[in-house]
């Protein structure tokens, strides 16, 4: 007896395996999603007695506790104490730090200008046969509304621990310049004074800037100078926790946000990469940005990446990397690795994707598995979350404003 066919033309004997296969695919996709998110999470912090050549978040965290023991706005006595401490730490590591006492100024929209007296802490780790300079930057001032443990004591502490680890091994080929800037929160004025007035900034170089917009989560390399193919290749090779997306870079390029990195790249002609962690944003620029809230795993990932990149770029020929490259790369994290390809492949890959989906539609229809309207409906469903998500966010905000009227401007 021939197999009974259901009204949709599928052999009834094939229905259950089809459903089972569908379930397996859904579970597989769910599993992959969970694995992808898990692979982004920062590692455990290394202990205080980790090998001297390694980065230890426990050692770095001791700096965070000191720097962020109180609010330390640019120009305050508290920040002067932080600066003295940073000079002492770098001196203990065998460097000869100098404080750049200067004034920085930045123009803002609608004819506004901001100025600040700044005190940048600058120190050089001399290279053996320099091809250029690698700059490691973070800002030592906090906002006036909190002690800035994550923003940016974490960045400063990561640099101190990175420099300590570097001094335990053979000197690098290139000069490494540590620039701990002042008055980032007010006007990026420390970076401005460095770029405009410091002799070490004249020849430019490659900069790795460390920032934060939260208190935990994976450090994300979210911003690059133009023509980033060479630098992102180095990042993919040398960063042990490579979380980065070229999509974020494109989005950030059209946003008006700025950090010290903006000044160094746009005004100073530097090339480089900018990294920040953004989870736990509720603590950002608030009295809750205290050391206890900073995730030490995040600090470990930040330091591992910075140390890895410092060793990589410290030994490369910086000549080509210190100039904007010819092309940007496309990249995104997949299961702990950074997938990367040239921008030239983006359109061919997109076209191939469209062709593959088109072929699938033809095959599905020929086999009588789905009609064209059903397939089109399924495809249209994919757009629904894109529309619903922002609408839901707006609706939830209205609801929040009802419950907490103080949140509305
Ligand atoms: Zn900051």
């Amino acid at each position: 007896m021939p197999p009974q066919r259901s009204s949709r033309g599928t052999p009834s004997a094939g229905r259950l395996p089809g459903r089972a296969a569908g379930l397996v695919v859904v579970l597989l996709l769910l599993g992959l999603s969970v694995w992808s998110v898990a692979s982004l999470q920062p590692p455990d912090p290394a202990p205080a007695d980790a090998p001297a050549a390694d980065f230890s978040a426990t050692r770095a965290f001791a700096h965070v506790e000191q720097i962020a023991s109180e609010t330390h706005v640019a120009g305050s006595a508290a920040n002067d104490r932080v600066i003295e401490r940073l000079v002492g730490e770098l001196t203990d590591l065998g460097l000869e730090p100098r404080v750049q006492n200067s004034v920085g100024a930045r123009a803002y929209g609608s004819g506004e200008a901001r100025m600040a007296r700044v005190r940048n802490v600058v120190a050089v780790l001399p290279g053996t046969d320099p091809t250029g300079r690698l700059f490691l930057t973070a800002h030592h001032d906090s906002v006036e509304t909190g002690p800035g443990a994550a923003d940016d004591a974490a960045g400063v502490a990561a640099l101190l621990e990175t420099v300590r680890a570097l001094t335990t091994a053979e000197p690098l080929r290139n000069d490494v310049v540590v620039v701990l800037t002042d008055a980032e929160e007010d006007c990026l004025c420390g970076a401005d004074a460095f770029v405009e007035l410091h002799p070490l900034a004249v020849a430019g170089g490659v900069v790795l800037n460390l920032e934060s917009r939260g208190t935990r989560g994976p450090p994300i390399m979210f911003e690059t100078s133009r023509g980033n193919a060479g630098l992102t290749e180095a990042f993919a090779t040398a960063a042990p926790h490579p979380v980065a997306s070229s999509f974020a870079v494109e989005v950030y390029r059209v946003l008006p946000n700025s950090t010290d990195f903006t000044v160094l790249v746009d005004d100073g002609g530097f090339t480089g990469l900018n990294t920040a962690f953004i989870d736990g944003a509720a603590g950002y620029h608030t009295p809750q940005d205290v050391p206890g809230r900073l995730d030490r795993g995040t600090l470990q990932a930040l330091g591992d990446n910075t140390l890895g990149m410092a060793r990589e770029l410290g030994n490369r020929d910086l000549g080509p990397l210190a100039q904007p490259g010819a092309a940007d790369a496309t990249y995104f994290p997949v299961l702990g690795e950074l997938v990367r390809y040239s921008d030239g492949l983006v359109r061919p890959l997109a076209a191939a994707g469209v062709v593959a989906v088109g072929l699938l539609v033809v095959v599905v229809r020929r086999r009588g598995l789905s009609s064209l309207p059903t397939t089109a409906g399924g495809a249209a469903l994919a757009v629904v979350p894109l529309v619903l998500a922002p609408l839901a966010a707006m609706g939830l905000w209205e609801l929040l404003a009802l419950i907490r009227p103080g949140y509305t401007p």
Side-chain angles (χ1 to χ4, degrees):
M1 190 176 149
Q4 295 265 306
R5 294 184 78 88
S6 74
S7 58
R8 289 175 123 176
T10 316
S12 57
R15 295 295 295 174
L16 210 66
R19 288 246 164 101
L23 193 67
V24 167
V25 168
V26 167
L27 286 177
L28 211 65
L29 285 175
L30 265 178
L32 260 179
S33 307
V34 171
W35 189 9
S36 304
V37 172
S39 72
L40 295 178
Q41 297 316 304
D44 288 335
D49 60 355
D54 292 358
F55 184 96
S56 157
T58 310
R59 292 191 285 250
F61 188 72
H63 296 305
V64 174
E65 286 183 304
Q66 295 291 336
I67 298 166
S69 60
E70 58 183 331
T71 299
H72 50 285
V73 186
S76 67
N79 206 39
D80 280 343
R81 286 192 287 277
V82 168
I83 290 164
E84 294 320 310
R85 193 187 156 74
L86 297 176
V87 168
E89 292 289 347
L90 288 164
T91 306
D92 289 349
L93 290 172
L95 281 70
E96 294 176 10
R98 294 279 180 274
V99 177
Q100 181 197 8
N101 288 294
S102 190
V103 172
R106 294 276 296 162
Y108 285 77
S110 64
E112 182 190 353
R114 295 187 202 170
M115 301 177 77
R117 183 201 77 147
V118 299
R119 301 187 69 206
N120 297 325
V121 179
V122 183
V124 182
L125 208 56
T128 53
D129 182 21
T131 61
R133 293 195 181 103
L134 172 66
F135 293 81
L136 305 178
T137 61
H139 66 88
H140 62 60
D141 62 308
S142 76
V143 285
E144 64 267 39
T145 47
D151 179 19
D152 190 19
V156 172
L159 292 189
L160 289 177
E161 171 66 2
T162 294
V163 169
R164 187 208 55 73
L166 289 177
T167 57
T168 65
E170 287 291 298
L172 299 170
R173 178 183 180 188
N174 299 316
D175 291 343
V176 176
V177 185
V178 182
V179 186
L180 307 175
T181 62
D182 199 357
E184 192 272 351
E185 300 292 2
D186 303 284
C187 52
L188 316 176
C189 284
D192 176 78
F194 181 73
V195 159
E196 300 295 338
L197 299 167
H198 202 287
L200 282 173
V202 174
V206 179
V207 60
L208 302 176
N209 187 55
L210 307 187
E211 260 291 357
S212 111
R213 215 200 171 287
T215 55
R216 56 186 160 80
I220 303 167
M221 196 280 282
F222 69 101
E223 187 181 16
T224 71
S225 49
R226 302 245 164 215
N228 60 30
L231 284 172
T232 52
E233 183 270 320
F235 181 76
T237 309
H241 317 285
V243 180
S245 155
S246 45
F247 180 67
V249 169
E250 292 302 330
V251 169
Y252 204 80
R253 277 178 185 168
V254 297
L255 291 180
N257 303 37
S258 48
T259 65
D260 281 346
F261 186 80
T262 322
V263 178
L264 289 159
V265 170
D266 291 356
D267 302 345
F270 288 71
T271 62
L273 307 176
N274 199 5
T275 296
F277 47 95
I278 59 174
D279 289 356
Y284 175 66
H285 283 183
T286 74
Q288 275 84 51
D289 189 5
V290 290
R293 210 177 164 114
L294 174 69
D295 182 79
R296 282 168 233 195
T298 295
L299 190 56
Q300 185 67 42
L302 187 68
D304 283 344
N305 284 357
T306 307
L307 180 58
M309 283 297 280
R311 289 199 170 118
E312 180 75 19
L313 295 176
N315 282 324
R316 281 206 187 193
D317 179 3
L318 283 186
L321 293 173
Q323 306 296 328
D328 282 322
T330 296
Y331 50 89
F332 45 89
V334 175
L335 307 180
E337 297 293 324
L338 198 69
V339 173
R340 210 172 42 82
Y341 48 84
S342 132
D343 262 9
L345 276 178
V346 170
R347 286 198 170 85
L349 278 176
V354 171
V355 170
V357 170
L359 284 176
L360 189 67
V361 171
V362 170
V363 168
V364 161
R365 185 160 174 264
R366 286 236 172 113
R367 292 195 181 169
L369 295 171
S370 171
S371 66
L372 264 184
T374 310
T375 309
L381 268 181
V383 184
V384 171
L386 296 181
V387 179
L388 278 190
L391 285 179
M394 284 160 69
L396 284 172
W397 176 253
E398 294 298 329
L399 193 66
L400 193 67
L402 273 181
I403 300 167
R404 292 274 176 93
Y407 282 7
T408 50

